[in-house]
Amino acid sequence: MFRAALMPALLAVTLAGSAACAQPAQPQNQQQPAAAPAAAPVALPANVRVYDVPAGSRPHDVAPGPGNLVWYTGQRRGTLGILNPETGAVREVRLGEGSAPHGVIQGPDGAAWITDGGLNAIVRVDPATDAVRVWRLPAEFPDSNLNTAAFDREGRIWFTGQTGIYGRLDPRSGEMRVWRDPEGRGPYGIAATPSGDIYYVSLAGSHLARVDRETGAATLIEPPTAGQGARRVWADRAGNLWVSEWNGGQLSRYTPSTGQWRSWRPEGERTRVYAVYVDDRDMVWVTEWGANATLAFDPATERWTRYPGSGANANVRQILGRPGWVYLPESGLDRIMVVRTGG
Amino acid sequence: MRVVAAGALALLALAAAPPPAVNDNAGARVFAQCVACHAIEPGRNTPAGPTLHGVVGRPVAAQPGFNYSPALRRFAASNPRWTPELLDRFLADPERVVPGTEMGLIGLRDPAQRRAVIAFLDGSRRHN
């Protein structure tokens, strides 16, 4: 509870005009290296708050919930966590024996949709009743290591499994189809573009793939950097695909209309870019594990703004948000960081 | 023969544990949690992890061609080899044993699962 008590105090100090404990986010090249383990508490930017979640949760992914609530997957506790950022209160919904949820998104029905590796199932949690409904993968796809999901415009949920699969569930009929990635192991992040196309990336396969939403066929798109380890993908408002390259240590953009790629590398000797998310202003957010930080990249100016983890080994594995807010699950610290980006 | 030898090694290392009942099928099932990042064939590193071919007894953070995290390199200084006992501790809770590890596995809480996958990995020398 230390953190929950400390952060409002920090914010209060900041609002009173002091910069002793908090400061504006600064461009990356004006910052010191990431704090070493057991260093003094990190001074967080003024637009940041940090919330504790139950110990041992390992919050893996986050998503906007109803109202101002924030959902997260408690991967170690087998829960959907529900954070109220106005009070810091957390409530948990247990997903079932053996659950180890990875991804969570909000569906068009307003419910939480979860890719649960432990249950090897797609799970829906009703936001009004907490009712949990489970769609298990077909028996021929056991232990698929389910990862992430995205909805298409037809209301079907597409998902990836790291053992080498991707699939589609129509919640209305219950029909589930599963396909094998042409290159095997690795499907990780998945996203829908504004025009409704579905793309996913493969970490072990180092490729981007566009999925035909009717036939399920995947067309592979090879980034120019070999062996880059494409981990997550997100689309901006123009439909460009932004890819976080783990092994390549850089952020890349693919423009479907021209087939062109362009890449940007954060500063650092051994960069590891894990998550990517494009916010409502087309700012591109990535987590860079080599620096233990989240970076906001402005494509217009090509400048990076750095948000340090709230402690060593914050391990932010995914980013999501809503207009004016960005959510960062610090899986290594059992904390959720919330960044205010709008007025 | 490799599986039998691995079982004996694990038993010696985990003296307090009950006699392990291990077989390739059980270990292969557990290994399904690893295949997204790790191959079992020799020389097949992926962008997310080194091959685990012959990992039992191998020097820590020393597979050629893989760019290990600083955390694992530091760990290797005081833990030079992946003994069955060390693998057992690591697989139970990777982030606790090696803070800063980049491996995504949340940990195998069941000792029987750990014994099985360690035996499977020890048998990986047969895979070429």
Side-chain angles (χ1 to χ4, degrees):
Chain A
M1 296 310 294
F2 164 78
R3 181 64 50 178
L6 173 62
M7 293 316 300
L10 282 177
L11 274 191
V13 169
T14 305
L15 292 172
S18 170
C21 298
Q23 58 199 13
Q26 296 182 9
Q28 183 190 24
N29 58 12
Q30 296 178 16
Q31 292 289 316
Q32 297 299 312
V42 173
L44 297 172
N47 58 333
V48 168
R49 292 189 70 175
V50 179
Y51 303 86
D52 284 332
V53 298
S57 290
R58 200 198 204 211
H60 200 290
D61 282 20
V62 286
N68 291 324
L69 299 179
V70 181
W71 285 325
Y72 66 89
T73 48
Q75 192 178 35
R76 279 188 194 275
R77 292 169 63 88
T79 56
L80 173 70
I82 305 168
L83 166 69
N84 183 337
E86 293 179 4
T87 65
V90 171
R91 194 166 65 79
E92 294 178 298
V93 177
R94 298 209 168 276
L95 302 178
E97 184 68 27
S99 167
H102 188 285
V104 60
I105 56 173
Q106 186 177 102
D109 58 353
W113 289 84
I114 294 161
T115 33
D116 194 318
L119 297 177
N120 199 40
I122 305 300
V123 177
R124 178 187 187 273
V125 178
D126 190 289
T129 66
D130 289 348
V132 175
R133 185 173 177 190
V134 175
W135 290 265
R136 295 188 187 278
L137 263 64
E140 61 266 38
F141 299 98
D143 302 319
S144 295
N145 208 338
L146 288 175
N147 194 279
T148 315
F151 274 90
D152 65 19
R153 285 182 166 183
E154 291 76 34
R156 301 172 298 191
I157 184 170
W158 292 81
F159 53 87
T160 53
Q162 288 190 76
T163 52
I165 61 101
Y166 60 99
R168 181 187 73 197
L169 168 69
D170 187 336
R172 293 156 298 196
S173 66
E175 181 194 32
M176 183 183 286
R177 297 283 308 276
V178 180
W179 296 272
R180 299 189 190 279
D181 178 273
E183 294 185 348
R185 66 167 67 90
Y188 204 96
I190 191 168
T193 69
S195 62
D197 289 327
I198 299 291
Y199 288 83
Y200 73 87
V201 287
S202 173
L203 173 60
S206 290
H207 59 247
L208 173 68
R210 180 178 182 274
V211 178
D212 184 307
R213 299 198 306 280
E214 299 315 312
T215 68
T219 301
L220 302 193
I221 303 162
E222 302 286 351
T225 305
Q228 81 296 134
R231 193 183 274 273
R232 290 191 182 268
V233 59
W234 204 259
D236 63 23
R237 287 181 292 183
N240 299 306
L241 280 303
W242 293 83
V243 177
S244 52
E245 298 180 1
W246 173 251
N247 217 38
Q250 61 186 10
L251 170 67
S252 288
R253 182 184 67 195
Y254 172 70
T255 303
S257 59
T258 64
Q260 291 187 320
W261 286 86
R262 188 169 175 202
S263 299
W264 295 264
R265 180 177 295 278
E267 290 184 358
E269 291 184 2
R270 185 182 178 279
T271 52
R272 284 291 183 271
V273 181
Y274 198 116
V276 63
Y277 165 67
V278 185
D279 72 14
D280 56 303
R281 305 163 303 154
D282 277 345
M283 293 287 285
V284 185
W285 296 73
V286 300
T287 55
E288 205 283 272
W289 280 35
N292 190 40
T294 298
L295 307 173
F297 177 71
D298 184 343
T301 64
E302 301 190 0
R303 287 174 60 87
W304 305 83
T305 301
R306 183 175 184 272
Y307 293 84
S310 71
N313 303 322
N315 296 359
V316 177
R317 299 171 189 273
Q318 182 256 7
I319 311 170
L320 246 179
R322 69 173 90 237
W325 301 92
V326 168
Y327 307 131
L328 307 169
E330 297 191 315
S331 69
L333 302 173
D334 288 333
R335 298 171 186 160
I336 305 291
M337 179 179 283
V338 176
V339 182
R340 181 165 191 145
T341 62
Chain B
M1 293 302 294
R2 183 67 62 189
V3 174
V4 174
L9 273 176
L11 182 58
L12 285 172
L14 307 169
V22 295
N23 60 66
D24 268 2
N25 288 337
R29 282 200 300 274
V30 179
F31 187 68
Q33 299 180 50
C34 316
V35 299
C37 300
H38 295 286
I40 197 70
E41 300 85 3
R44 286 278 307 276
N45 298 334
T46 81
T51 177
L52 297 183
H53 178 84
V55 66
V56 180
R58 190 168 82 189
V60 173
Q63 173 62 29
F66 188 75
N67 188 355
Y68 288 92
S69 66
L72 202 64
R73 291 182 191 277
R74 286 193 299 271
F75 180 74
S78 53
N79 298 272
R81 284 191 183 275
W82 285 121
T83 63
E85 181 184 29
L86 183 60
L87 277 169
D88 184 78
R89 282 202 295 127
F90 179 64
L91 293 175
D93 192 343
E95 290 176 343
R96 185 180 62 79
V97 175
V98 186
T101 180
E102 293 170 349
M103 193 170 86
L105 181 75
I106 60 174
L108 300 172
R109 295 178 184 174
D110 182 351
Q113 283 196 334
R114 299 198 297 274
R115 283 196 299 269
V117 78
I118 291 167
F120 173 79
L121 292 172
D122 193 52
S124 69
R125 291 186 183 88
R126 291 172 299 161
H127 298 262
N128 290 308

